[in-house]
Amino acid sequence: MNYTINQLRIFLKITQTQSVTKASEELHLTQPAVSIQLKNFQDQFEIPLTEIIGRKIFITDFGKEIAVTAENILNQIYEINYKTLAHKGLLTGRLKISVVSTGKYVMPYFLSDFLREHEGIELVMDVTNKSKVIRSLEKNEVDFSLVSVLPENLQIEKTELMQNKLYLISNTNQQFNDKIYDKSILEELPLIYREPGSGTRQTMEIFIRENKLPVKKKMELTSNEAVKQSVIAGLGCSIMPLIGIKNELQNGQLQIIPVKEFPIKSVWNLIWLKGKNHSPVALAFLDYLKNEKENIIKAKFDWFERY
């Protein structure tokens, strides 16, 4: 056997994602590089680790056993690294956070200086839709989750980070000359939705339902970036978080349609399971947020308050 740490890491990620493509994306590697490492790893075993049926990859029972061992080995390696840094008196360990997709425009700014101060901390941040974020929290797979819509059937604790605002937007080819429109304008515009399970979609649907608006659903897309590009291309309008459209507003690709009762407001909350026994790293991060949150908002999100 002559496998490498990198091969173990790649194989474990493939078993977790059930996809070479998704594994390559999460590891920030090219798909061919991941495929080559998987083949090199497989060549060291006489028993298949995976099998391809159609175009889908499946992990064999033997492969699942190897994945468990790989995870244990990698955890031991991380532990060695942490012990080395801890021996030097540094705060060490992993900080695991799951973030709803629009939260990728928020969370990094609350992490950057903290991680710079503590080089011994390894960040594991999963960016996905709200349903998967809540699932990872419920399974106690993460320290914290960032959401703008709180889960209804889960006992949690939270700390507020900052306000979230959602506006009705279109591309700039369309003309909206009125100073402000009634919310009934939503009945006339073809709307682009996020997929079920998205916090943005949930907020949008609650507003539409409470106001009894018979809207025209044009299409459904699986990411805010896809929605944004579709609006820019003129395929429809949408209700989107301000935090994710800053550049497009400033460069004239998108415009906010002024509508009564907009923006729809919510709050970005960092949440965790009630009664969770936090690690020293997680406790340090909560303490950091308590002391620095307002300074971060003032320094990084001053533009946000102008809308």
Side-chain angles (χ1 to χ4, degrees):
M1 293 293 178
N2 194 30
Y3 45 77
T4 66
I5 294 171
N6 191 42
Q7 288 172 354
L8 292 174
R9 185 179 293 112
I10 287 173
F11 179 67
L12 180 60
K13 182 60 68 175
I14 290 170
T15 64
Q16 292 170 341
T17 61
Q18 299 285 303
S19 166
V20 170
T21 300
K22 290 180 181 178
S24 65
E25 290 172 354
E26 293 190 17
L27 293 169
H28 305 290
L29 298 170
T30 64
Q31 188 171 332
V34 170
S35 297
I36 289 169
Q37 290 302 318
L38 174 61
K39 181 181 183 303
N40 292 340
F41 189 56
Q42 172 64 81
D43 287 346
Q44 299 178 71
F45 300 91
E46 295 180 1
I47 305 172
L49 300 171
T50 64
E51 59 180 340
I52 306 294
I53 301 177
R55 299 183 64 182
K56 185 173 177 60
I57 189 169
F58 293 88
I59 313 302
T60 65
D61 289 342
F62 177 68
K64 291 175 183 177
E65 291 181 19
I66 296 299
V68 171
T69 302
E71 185 171 19
N72 290 335
I73 292 171
L74 290 170
N75 285 337
Q76 290 297 317
I77 291 169
Y78 293 136
E79 189 67 25
I80 290 170
N81 294 336
Y82 298 150
K83 286 183 182 296
T84 301
L85 292 168
H87 194 69
K88 297 178 181 179
L90 301 176
L91 182 64
T92 65
R94 277 182 168 182
L95 181 62
K96 296 183 179 181
I97 304 177
S98 58
V99 177
V100 294
S101 56
T102 314
K104 65 178 176 286
Y105 301 108
V106 176
M107 200 68 235
Y109 294 100
F110 290 91
L111 285 163
S112 57
D113 286 344
F114 176 72
L115 295 175
R116 198 174 294 117
E117 291 173 11
H118 303 288
E119 296 181 0
I121 294 176
E122 178 191 356
L123 173 66
V124 179
M125 189 167 77
D126 181 33
V127 181
T128 184
N129 69 22
K130 185 199 169 194
S131 294
K132 293 179 181 178
V133 165
I134 298 304
R135 197 177 308 134
S136 66
L137 185 73
E138 191 172 13
K139 292 180 179 179
N140 200 28
E141 296 173 345
V142 295
D143 298 301
F144 304 108
S145 293
L146 180 69
V147 296
S148 60
V149 179
L150 294 173
E152 296 178 356
N153 302 313
L154 196 61
Q155 289 192 317
I156 59 162
E157 297 179 70
K158 65 183 176 69
T159 183
E160 294 185 0
L161 290 190
M162 59 180 285
Q163 191 177 71
N164 185 31
K165 302 177 187 177
L166 291 90
Y167 286 91
L168 179 63
I169 62 162
S170 76
N171 69 9
T172 48
N173 294 330
Q174 301 181 66
Q175 297 296 317
F176 295 94
N177 298 319
D178 290 5
K179 186 175 181 180
I180 191 161
Y181 289 85
D182 186 79
K183 57 194 174 186
S184 60
I185 192 177
L186 286 162
E187 301 174 20
E188 306 168 15
L189 300 173
L191 287 182
I192 302 173
Y193 279 59
R194 279 289 307 274
E195 82 285 3
S198 157
T200 297
R201 174 166 175 158
Q202 184 178 351
T203 301
M204 181 174 170
E205 288 184 325
I206 289 172
F207 180 85
I208 290 169
R209 184 170 61 250
E210 288 179 347
N211 288 278
K212 299 180 174 61
L213 299 170
V215 302
K216 301 175 184 177
K217 182 179 175 183
K218 177 72 173 179
M219 65 181 70
E220 182 178 291
L221 299 172
T222 58
S223 73
N224 277 304
E225 188 61 32
V227 171
K228 183 164 57 176
Q229 294 304 321
S230 296
V231 174
I232 291 171
L235 295 178
C237 299
S238 192
I239 295 173
M240 294 197 70
L242 174 63
I243 198 74
I245 57 174
K246 174 187 177 184
N247 293 336
E248 290 75 17
L249 289 172
Q250 292 181 344
N251 65 25
Q253 291 179 294
L254 292 176
Q255 64 177 319
I256 291 173
I257 304 171
V259 179
K260 291 178 183 177
E261 298 188 30
F262 275 77
I264 305 170
K265 295 182 179 180
S266 60
V267 176
W268 289 108
N269 285 284
L270 195 69
I271 63 174
W272 59 93
L273 289 178
K274 188 173 182 179
K276 182 173 176 60
N277 185 20
H278 285 304
S279 68
V281 167
L283 288 172
F285 184 54
L286 286 177
D287 188 58
Y288 169 81
L289 289 177
K290 179 181 178 182
N291 295 323
E292 297 296 331
K293 177 175 64 176
E294 296 305 322
N295 293 331
I296 294 169
I297 293 172
K298 184 176 180 180
K300 304 298 183 182
F301 298 101
D302 61 318
W303 66 270
F304 190 83
E305 299 305 320
R306 295 197 291 270
Y307 287 88

